[in-house]
């Protein structure tokens, strides 16, 4: 490994990465980390090792299994720099802030201002406001939508319609996400890789990623609003 500006012992690396020494050695044994540079009998680690550990933690936070983490890292060249690994993390950063909360039924009822029965819980699940967890708890996917979901339920919307509406939304947004990701890979990531991962291009890709997120989300919201208005006008005019 080339000389790095910063060098850490395995204990120092573990502290900086927020993991245990045992975890560092485990990942090294799985070939997820390159070997350290030896100074006598002491192994020294650098920014690349730290960046790889941070990337592993990011992948695990996103729900990747160890096998999936290994597959992802196998696609990253062993000589990838710390900056390249940081870009990988930036590409994986969620588009919106995580707002999920783990709550028990009594806390959910307290926030709702009333005791929630099983039918109401099931309709909140159908709306995508809640998910059931193992045991007696729930995951509140977006706390700000709880009140809106309860208002819709109070209006007497048929549960079958709520479930079907959620499926329609999920089907279309998954398809859009896949197509948009393919466009991004073809027009931004692939040229970056083919041109040799230049430092200047790396920063440009990171900035593009950051700017695309809010613009794309707003475009989807605005496009959906226009589509609904257009559909209503066609329905009223009979055209």
């Amino acid at each position: 490994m080339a000389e790095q500006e910063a060098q850490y012992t395995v204990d120092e690396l573990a502290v900086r990465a927020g993991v245990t020494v045992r975890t560092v050695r485990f990942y090294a044994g799985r070939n997820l980390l390159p070997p350290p540079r030896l100074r006598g009998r002491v192994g020294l680690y650098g920014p690349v090792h730290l960046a790889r550990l941070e990337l592993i933690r990011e992948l695990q936070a996103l729900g990747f299994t160890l096998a999936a983490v290994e597959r992802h890292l196998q696609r990253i060249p062993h000589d990838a720099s710390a900056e390249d690994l940081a870009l990988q993390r930036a590409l994986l950063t969620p588009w919106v802030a995580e707002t999920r909360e783990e709550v028990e039924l009594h806390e959910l009822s307290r926030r709702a201002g009333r005791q929630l029965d099983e039918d109401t819980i099931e309709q909140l699940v159908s709306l995508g406001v809640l998910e059931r967890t193992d045991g007696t708890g729930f995951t509140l996917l977006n706390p700000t939508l709880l009140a809106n979901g309860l208002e819709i339920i109070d209006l007497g919307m048929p549960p079958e319609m709520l479930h079907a509406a959620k499926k329609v939304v999920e089907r279309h947004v998954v398809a859009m996400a896949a197509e948009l990701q393919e466009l991004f890979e073809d027009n931004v990531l692939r040229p970056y890789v083919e041109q040799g991962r230049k430092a200047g291009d790396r920063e440009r890709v990171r900035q593009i990623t950051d700017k695309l997120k809010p613009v794309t989300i707003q475009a989807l919201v605005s496009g959906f609003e226009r589509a609904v208005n257009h559909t209503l006008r066609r329905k009223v005019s009979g055209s």
Side-chain angles (χ1 to χ4, degrees):
M1 183 176 71
E3 186 73 25
Q4 300 286 354
E5 181 180 350
Q7 297 292 324
Y8 321 113
T9 65
V10 67
D11 299 272
E12 292 169 338
L13 177 66
V15 169
R16 286 177 175 272
V19 299
T20 65
V21 171
R22 182 178 180 181
T23 298
V24 174
R25 298 193 190 284
F26 173 75
Y27 290 148
R30 305 283 298 199
N31 201 32
L32 298 180
L33 298 176
R37 184 174 66 86
L38 292 178
R39 180 182 293 166
R41 298 179 62 181
V42 177
L44 294 177
Y45 301 81
V48 168
H49 298 94
L50 180 59
R52 280 187 174 264
L53 285 171
E54 290 172 341
L55 178 57
I56 292 169
R57 292 188 66 186
E58 189 77 46
L59 291 166
Q60 290 177 327
L62 290 170
F64 281 50
T65 63
L66 178 60
V69 170
E70 290 177 337
R71 287 195 298 271
H72 185 83
L73 289 181
Q74 284 171 0
R75 297 195 294 267
I76 300 175
H78 274 286
D79 61 353
S81 67
E83 291 79 11
D84 277 327
L85 293 164
L87 175 60
Q88 283 282 333
R89 286 186 64 206
L91 295 174
L92 292 168
T93 302
W95 279 39
V96 293
E98 186 64 77
T99 58
R100 298 164 67 99
E101 287 186 44
E102 303 300 320
V103 294
E104 296 293 329
L105 179 57
H106 65 85
E107 172 62 14
L108 203 56
S109 295
R110 186 190 69 79
R111 296 192 190 188
R114 65 189 199 231
Q115 185 63 39
L116 299 178
D117 57 27
E118 182 59 28
D119 288 342
T120 303
I121 292 292
E122 189 56 43
Q123 290 181 73
L124 288 171
V125 171
S126 293
L127 280 171
V129 176
L130 288 180
E131 281 182 356
R132 297 182 184 276
T133 60
D134 295 336
T136 60
F138 301 90
T139 300
L140 186 56
L141 300 179
N142 191 331
T144 62
L145 292 181
L146 178 60
N148 300 107
L150 289 170
E151 288 177 3
I152 291 174
I153 292 169
D154 290 342
L155 290 172
M157 303 285 282
E160 297 80 7
M161 174 191 163
L162 298 179
H163 184 71
K166 180 187 176 186
K167 290 295 184 183
V168 169
V169 171
E170 288 176 345
R171 182 171 68 251
H172 289 287
V173 296
V174 168
M176 283 192 295
E179 289 189 38
L180 289 171
Q181 179 65 22
E182 187 173 338
L183 281 171
F184 181 77
E185 290 179 357
D186 289 345
N187 293 276
V188 179
L189 286 185
R190 186 166 294 120
Y192 165 69
V193 172
E194 291 175 349
Q195 291 167 15
R197 297 184 174 88
K198 299 176 183 176
D201 290 341
R202 183 192 306 124
E203 179 60 21
R204 185 176 66 86
V205 170
R206 189 192 64 77
Q207 291 181 359
I208 289 173
T209 303
D210 290 343
K211 299 298 183 184
L212 268 180
K213 293 177 182 180
V215 170
T216 302
I217 291 171
Q218 187 56 53
L220 288 172
V221 172
S222 299
F224 178 73
E225 291 172 342
R226 289 195 301 271
V228 170
N229 291 338
H230 179 66
T231 300
L232 290 173
R233 285 195 295 269
R234 288 182 57 189
K235 186 74 173 177
V236 171
S237 65
S239 58

